[in-house]
Amino acid sequence: MKIDIVTIFPEVIKTYLEIGVLGRAIQQKLLEINVRNLRDYSEYPHRQVDDYPYGGGAGMVLMAPPLIKAVESLVENNSVVILTSPQGCKFHQKLARQFLQQEHLVIICGRYRGVDQRFIEGWVDQQVSIGDYILSGGELPSMVVVETVARLIPGVLNNSENLDLDSFSNGLFEEDLYTRPREVDGRKVPDILLSGNHKQIEQWRSEQREIKAKELKKNINNKIK
Ligand code: SAH
């Protein structure tokens, strides 16, 4: 699978791509990622990529021509062009699986107030939001998408990072996890996990996953008043 990411801050993204699961996937050539500087596609003086909004108002807007040039020089026969946007379709594990089926993704990172609407209408296949909040750019959202998809590529995760047990992989949440020490501030590890009875442990874990999926709402741990 190949992914091109178009951004005005390529260095930030390149650093993140070097570490952990993503770094390994790229090194092992299970995934090819190219980070493109939007300014390289600008034909304006000083490699300008943004301008004031028509109609007035504060902030800048990414201009269509550099974005169009980037997309047109990157797309191939079966490319899907994704724009990160808080107005997009909410990103979730199922969408990640759909992206995984694609040969080539081109992900555009917005900045400032956003991008010229004509680019969205003419060149973007799918707008993707990572949640109902506003970030300053599409760089973090693009990394969220890329890392989620990369984890699904066969061979990317090693045995210790079991994909099938991840939350959302089968409609369940992962069971509660415990590691050393045995006691933390009076809180103990559930006895069953120390019993050595693997059959019962497996049963406990699978019950936990079911219970969490049924009863735990996503904000159960939100203790902020
Ligand atoms: N004025 C815009 C927000 C601009 S934020 C609006 O109200 O819709 C600047 C850029 O950051 C966006 O173009 C987008 O690429 C990115 N961005 C910000 N929040 C995001 C989110 N929740 N999901 C995906 N991309 C986001």
Side-chain angles (χ1 to χ4, degrees), residues 88-151:
C89 161
K90 199 79 61 69
F91 188 59
H92 48 66
Q93 198 70 20
K94 243 194 208 155
L95 194 52
R97 285 185 194 283
Q98 286 171 5
F99 288 163
L100 178 70
Q101 305 307 318
Q102 310 305 317
E103 280 170 31
H104 180 210
L105 304 178
V106 178
I107 305 179
I108 310 292
C109 303
R111 270 275 153 185
Y112 313 119
R113 287 189 64 189
V115 311
D116 190 302
Q117 183 61 24
R118 292 161 299 179
F119 169 71
I120 300 177
E121 287 167 11
W123 284 265
V124 172
D125 297 311
Q126 174 85 56
Q127 296 188 66
V128 174
S129 163
I130 62 160
D132 292 342
Y133 41 81
I134 305 295
L135 298 160
S136 297
E139 287 72 21
L140 288 173
S142 75
M143 289 297 89
V144 168
V145 170
V146 167
E147 185 162 297
T148 309
V149 174
R151 291 174 61 83

Side-chain angles (χ1 to χ4, degrees), residues 23 29 123 180 221:
K29 301 205 185 319
W123 284 265
R180 288 199 300 168
N221 292 323

Side-chain angles (χ1 to χ4, degrees), residues 125-222:
D125 297 311
Q126 174 85 56
Q127 296 188 66
V128 174
S129 163
I130 62 160
D132 292 342
Y133 41 81
I134 305 295
L135 298 160
S136 297
E139 287 72 21
L140 288 173
S142 75
M143 289 297 89
V144 168
V145 170
V146 167
E147 185 162 297
T148 309
V149 174
R151 291 174 61 83
L152 297 172
I153 297 174
V156 165
L157 294 189
N158 59 39
N159 290 338
S160 65
E161 303 156 321
N162 197 327
L163 184 64
D164 296 334
L165 298 182
D166 272 350
S167 300
F168 302 114
S169 63
N170 44 16
L172 304 175
F173 282 109
E174 188 173 63
E175 74 272 15
D176 295 343
L177 303 171
Y178 300 87
T179 184
R180 288 199 300 168
R182 274 195 183 202
E183 198 170 314
V184 176
D185 196 24
R187 293 163 201 267
K188 300 205 166 85
V189 176
D191 287 337
I192 181 83
L193 295 178
L194 306 172
S195 68
N197 185 330
H198 294 296
K199 209 168 151 210
Q200 278 183 18
I201 291 175
E202 225 9 83
Q203 194 178 344
W204 178 86
R205 285 181 168 156
S206 102
E207 280 167 12
Q208 276 258 313
R209 288 179 214 128
E210 302 271 354
I211 291 168
K212 284 177 92 169
K214 276 200 200 113
E215 293 177 9
L216 291 191
K217 294 287 169 265
K218 284 183 192 134
N219 57 2
I220 190 120
N221 292 323
N222 187 356

